[in-house]
Structure formats: C-alpha cells, structure tokens
Amino acid sequence: MFTVAPLSYYLGAAVRTGAETPRIVADGESFPLDGDLSAAAADTLRHCFLLDCVTRTEGLYPVDLHEREVLAERASIAPERWYGMPVDRRTAAYLSVPRSATDDLLEWHLTADIEPAVRNAEILPFVVDDLAVVRSPTPLSDRGNAPTEPDELEEFFRTDDARGLLRSTRTTQNADSVDESVRSPVDTETYGHVWVGEGFPMGASKPTVDAYRRRLDRQPADDSTTTVTLVCNDEEMLEEVDEELYGFLDMLRFEIRSHHDLTTAELREVLREETSFLHYVGHVEDEGVQCADGHLDLRTLSGTGVEAFLLNGCTSYEQGQALVDAGAFGGVVTLTSVSNAKATETGRHLARLLDIGFDFHGALDVIRRMRISRQNYVVVGDGRVTISQSETGTPLLLEVEEVVGEQARVTYRTYPTSRYQVGAMTHPYVEEGATQYVSVGDIEEYLLSAETYEEELAEQRTPIVVDGELRWTNSLRFESITDRP
C-alpha cells in the first residue's frame, strides 16, 4: 500500500487488492507492473508525469519544451490528442508509449523509505503530496559499507590532539563513529531522501507528521522580513557566523540577530523568540547544547519560535529532533563528530545556499558533491523548508566537468522547491532561444565562454563546483576556471 500510494494519488486511481500480479487498469486495458513493485511504481509515475508535462504544452499556452522535442524523435506521440482525453484514456495512451523513450528524460527529486507499519500510515498524505517515490519495506545497507568521510578527514580524527579541534568535548576513541540509533539506508537515485521509521538515517532526512502539518499552517510574515538568529557559544568558531552570509537578495528584507556566549537562561529565551532561521555554532554534548554556564538540553523545551535551523556542533541530531518536537519545521544536524575547520566551511556554504532559495534537501545535495561532510549532515523534520526565495525561480547549481580550450563545459542542475515544484519549467540563461526544460536535476551540458560568464553569471551569486570545491560566481574569475592545471 505504501509503495503504490504516490502513483495512485497522482493518477487518481483506486487501489484494489487480491490480484495475482500487480497491474494498472485504465480505459479497460491492463498494464502489468513487472518486477520489483517499488521500482515499477516509481518508473510508471515518472513516465506518466513526464508525458503529462509534454501534453500540457498544448492548449491555451503552447511552450517549446526540450523534453517534447526529444521524445518526438524517439516515439510516436500525440499530445494534441492526449490533451482533451479523460484521465483513464490518457493514462492508457501514456502506458502504450515505450518506457525506453522516457527513461533518461526526467530525473526524480525525492525518495521516501517507509517501514511498513500501521503507525507510519499517518505520514502518507504528505509523502504523496511531495510526489516521492516510496520504498517499503526499507532497504538497508551493511553498516560496514556505509559511506565514510574522505581519507584525510579520517586521518585527522585519529590524531592525538583531534579532540580539541572538534565541536565536542566528550572523550571518544573514534570521532567518526556512529551510535546504534543511526541507520544506513541504501542510496537512492534521487537527491532528496526521507526516512520514516526507527532511528536516524545516514544521508537522509527524518520527517515527522507534526513538522509536515506545520507546513500547512505556515504563513508569510506580515512585514515580509526574514529573521536570522546567529548564536555562537565558542569564540574560536566566530568565523562561521558572519552576518554578511545572509540578506544578499535585494528583493527580500532580512533582520540579523547575533548572540555570543549565551547562558542557559539566555539561550532558552532566544529559542522562545520567533525567528525564521537559527544558525547555532558551538559544542553539543550528551547533556545538551553548551552554554557559558553549563548545558541547555533542548528536550526540556516546552515550545520554540524557531522555524528552521542549523545546529552545527558534534552529533547534534538528538538536540535537533528535540527542537522539531518543540515546534520547529525542520533543520540540519550532524550524525557524528565534526572538526571545526570542516564544520565552519560546511556551515558557511549551507548558509549561502539557504539564503539564495535552496531547501534543505537541495542544499545538502550540493554539499555532498564537495570533498567535505559527505554523510555527516542530515535533516530532521521537513526537508522542503526554505528561508528565502530564489531569484532564478528554481535554485540552480553549475558544475564544471572539463576545460575545452578557453571554454568550460558545465552541467546546469536545478532543484525544485515547495514554491517551484517538480514539473515547473526553466530556461537556462546560458542558452539562447526560448526552449524550456522540466526543472529538476541535470538540465543540459553547455560550453561556457568568458563572455557569457561575465554577462550572465559574474554579477550573480550562483553556486558552481570546480574541482570538487564549491565556489560562487560573483567572487570567482572565469580565468581561474580555465587556467587550471
């Protein structure tokens, strides 16, 4: 039931039990769901969704859609006829189109691993509304094969003086170890990944029904001001909480509140105040968040005014979960110990990504493409929370694949948000013409010249990955890309 729920929801189809083999019945025709049910349901959802996107280029507002052009070269399609069909006939027509024609035309954005238990059924309406593909039962990888940090970071953690440079003061034999409550889900093909079950997932987010429900009640502030609260309880980490990280977009109003060396009572009061985003930097222990006079255990909070957060301290997931339980929508936490240098770099990048409109899922996917913090950072609560809006509609990432003469070959990648959902369209501004693309995942590869870079990117704060490092186009000269050894 969990596995077929998103497909059933999208098609408006009733679910019947008792068939010998799973199948879809549409307009009197039967279409089997062969093989693994989860994979077959996900493939069918993507197939029908893409063909709907193609069909919707007909009607009152014709659009030149890249995916339609490619599909027309691969198969016989009739969007002009499909447009006026009722859903059962249209679905039957879609399922008659070979799957090979659509296989590589649309990446998907979200996978939900759901333990098949009655208690988890309550979360289904939110999962299907996000159009996640569902795997149930949840596949787990061998803990011994779980992703690890790069070799140089593992070596750092093994040094005798590493403990003093971690965002924790607890004694540990292996700072990169995880406790028994951490699970290791099998990797997905989607950049977004949620886990509904016991424990905390490595490389995925852990939502709650309450956090999803708060999404429905969320209202924009009366004065349209985004409030960011910066808290640093360790002066050696002040480099991370730079006020200039936030409020870059001219079209939005930001209020920045900075606090340092708070006591437990002061931090409790700060967490009670309403704020769009809390960026905490400091030590996190078993006893709670370290303050000037001890520790504040966030599990003792009766409520909070924090909407979203980053708790950038060692093994902060339990304290982050407590903040969600107290009323926050969601936030980014760590599963293991993190070094000050790596945590500072990650925190600053996350701040910039959230500031330009990425949601938590998209921001963490960008971070995981770098050489740092690959699986340490995860989401608790609602991973689709945003604190800002993107100037480009759908947030985007450029990734340099190679240098070709005096040009750079880059991949143009987009990330849907709750405001610009999967199925939205985008026109890459590095491309001439009016062709639109379905805005999710890798759009296209382009040869980028210095002229285009200066005209379209140099004044924008666009994230770009160069040699595994995240840079920003407004502070990166094009020559530093093409002059690489």
Side-chain angles (χ1 to χ4, degrees):
M1 293 295 293
F2 291 159
T3 297
V4 300
L7 179 60
S8 169
Y9 169 77
Y10 182 72
L11 295 177
V15 178
R16 302 278 188 263
T17 60
E20 292 184 5
T21 58
R23 66 180 185 270
I24 295 176
V25 178
D27 193 31
E29 296 186 62
S30 182
F31 302 89
L33 296 171
D34 295 325
D36 176 75
L37 181 59
S38 176
D43 176 61
T44 303
L45 175 60
R46 286 192 295 264
H47 181 79
C48 291
F49 186 90
L50 175 62
L51 290 173
D52 266 343
C53 291
V54 169
T55 298
R56 288 170 186 148
T57 62
E58 291 288 331
L60 296 177
Y61 305 101
V63 174
D64 293 329
L65 188 69
H66 168 77
E67 287 77 9
R68 176 171 177 167
E69 295 174 359
V70 175
L71 190 59
E73 296 174 355
R74 298 179 177 181
S76 176
I77 61 174
E80 64 282 354
R81 287 195 299 107
W82 296 342
Y83 187 85
M85 289 181 178
V87 65
D88 59 336
R89 289 184 57 201
R90 190 168 66 246
T91 300
Y94 289 171
L95 296 178
S96 299
V97 175
R99 299 297 174 87
S100 58
T102 62
D103 271 349
D104 59 347
L105 280 183
L106 181 68
E107 293 186 33
W108 209 243
H109 64 300
L110 187 62
T111 297
D113 283 334
I114 305 180
E115 291 184 358
V118 172
R119 65 180 180 274
N120 293 331
E122 193 176 13
I123 210 166
L124 268 185
F126 304 97
V127 171
V128 300
D129 186 57
D130 284 340
L131 284 186
V133 297
V134 172
R135 302 189 300 190
S136 184
T138 55
L140 286 173
S141 62
D142 185 345
R143 174 67 63 82
N145 293 329
T148 60
E149 291 295 327
D151 292 340
E152 64 268 20
L153 187 52
E154 292 181 358
E155 291 301 320
F156 167 82
F157 280 137
R158 294 191 188 105
T159 61
D160 293 337
D161 61 345
R163 222 172 5 110
L165 298 177
L166 297 177
R167 296 201 171 180
S168 170
T169 56
R170 64 166 64 89
T171 301
T172 178
Q173 291 182 335
N174 180 5
D176 197 32
S177 64
V178 294
D179 65 34
E180 292 303 315
S181 65
V182 175
R183 302 291 186 262
S184 299
V186 170
D187 288 342
T188 73
E189 294 181 356
T190 62
Y191 71 86
H193 187 187
V194 302
W195 167 271
V196 181
E198 299 298 322
F200 290 85
M202 183 170 288
S205 64
K206 184 176 175 64
T208 65
V209 173
D210 287 341
Y212 278 146
R213 283 177 175 156
R214 289 172 200 137
R215 182 199 296 181
L216 303 180
D217 298 329
R218 191 180 190 189
Q219 299 293 328
D222 293 336
D223 61 357
S224 301
T225 298
T226 298
T227 305
V228 176
T229 300
L230 308 178
V231 176
C232 181
N233 276 358
D234 190 318
E235 62 180 13
E236 294 183 359
M237 305 176 189
L238 282 174
E239 179 185 357
E240 180 177 326
V241 285
D242 186 346
E243 293 186 10
E244 294 183 359
L245 293 175
Y246 296 95
F248 175 80
L249 300 181
D250 293 336
M251 65 180 179
L252 299 177
R253 294 177 57 190
F254 274 77
E255 177 186 343
I256 311 295
R257 306 168 184 168
S258 295
H259 305 276
H260 305 120
D261 298 324
L262 296 179
T263 64
T264 54
E266 290 170 338
L267 181 57
R268 186 182 293 273
E269 183 60 32
V270 166
L271 295 178
R272 190 178 292 120
E273 298 172 354
E274 292 188 2
T275 185
S276 306
F277 187 68
L278 167 71
H279 186 158
Y280 170 82
V281 177
H283 296 292
V284 178
E285 309 294 337
D286 294 335
E287 300 90 338
V289 176
Q290 190 178 66
C291 299
D293 60 346
H295 295 84
L296 174 61
D297 190 343
L298 303 190
R299 290 169 290 194
T300 65
L301 297 178
S302 58
T304 181
V306 173
E307 292 187 357
F309 58 87
L310 166 61
L311 292 187
N312 206 3
C314 287
T315 321
S316 61
Y317 60 90
E318 289 186 346
Q319 293 296 306
Q321 184 64 59
L323 205 51
V324 172
D325 294 340
F329 293 101
V332 176
V333 296
T334 62
L335 287 179
T336 66
S337 295
V338 289
S339 71
N340 283 343
K342 297 295 183 181
T344 295
E345 185 177 359
T346 301
R348 291 177 67 86
H349 284 316
L350 277 173
R352 289 190 176 101
L353 291 166
L354 295 171
D355 182 51
I356 62 172
F358 280 79
D359 64 14
F360 287 136
H361 285 312
L364 284 183
D365 182 70
V366 175
I367 293 298
R368 289 172 186 146
R369 294 176 183 276
M370 301 159 53
R371 295 171 177 170
I372 62 172
S373 312
R374 294 184 182 172
Q375 297 292 330
N376 277 345
Y377 288 83
V378 297
V379 177
V380 288
D382 187 354
R384 303 202 70 194
V385 171
T386 58
I387 66 168
S388 184
Q389 297 175 17
S390 171
E391 286 185 313
T392 59
T394 306
L396 65 96
L397 171 72
L398 301 177
E399 188 164 3
V400 177
E401 304 295 344
E402 63 176 338
V403 175
V404 182
E406 296 182 354
Q407 296 179 308
R409 187 182 301 279
V410 299
T411 298
Y412 192 102
R413 181 175 291 113
T414 60
Y415 292 85
T417 64
S418 57
R419 182 175 177 84
Y420 295 95
Q421 304 263 15
V422 57
M425 295 181 296
T426 189
H427 171 68
Y429 47 65
V430 297
E431 178 183 287
E432 296 181 358
T435 301
Q436 300 284 332
Y437 294 75
V438 179
S439 186
V440 58
D442 291 355
I443 298 299
E444 192 64 88
E445 283 190 356
Y446 298 95
L447 279 175
L448 189 63
S449 66
E451 180 181 5
T452 302
Y453 185 89
E454 291 298 325
E455 291 178 355
E456 303 290 350
L457 295 167
E459 300 301 321
Q460 305 285 335
R461 188 158 75 163
T462 301
I464 181 170
V465 176
V466 182
D467 287 337
E469 295 184 0
L470 183 59
R471 309 289 294 275
W472 300 85
T473 55
N474 67 321
S475 60
L476 178 67
R477 298 186 61 186
F478 186 74
E479 290 77 10
S480 64
I481 299 175
T482 55
D483 291 345
R484 292 179 296 151

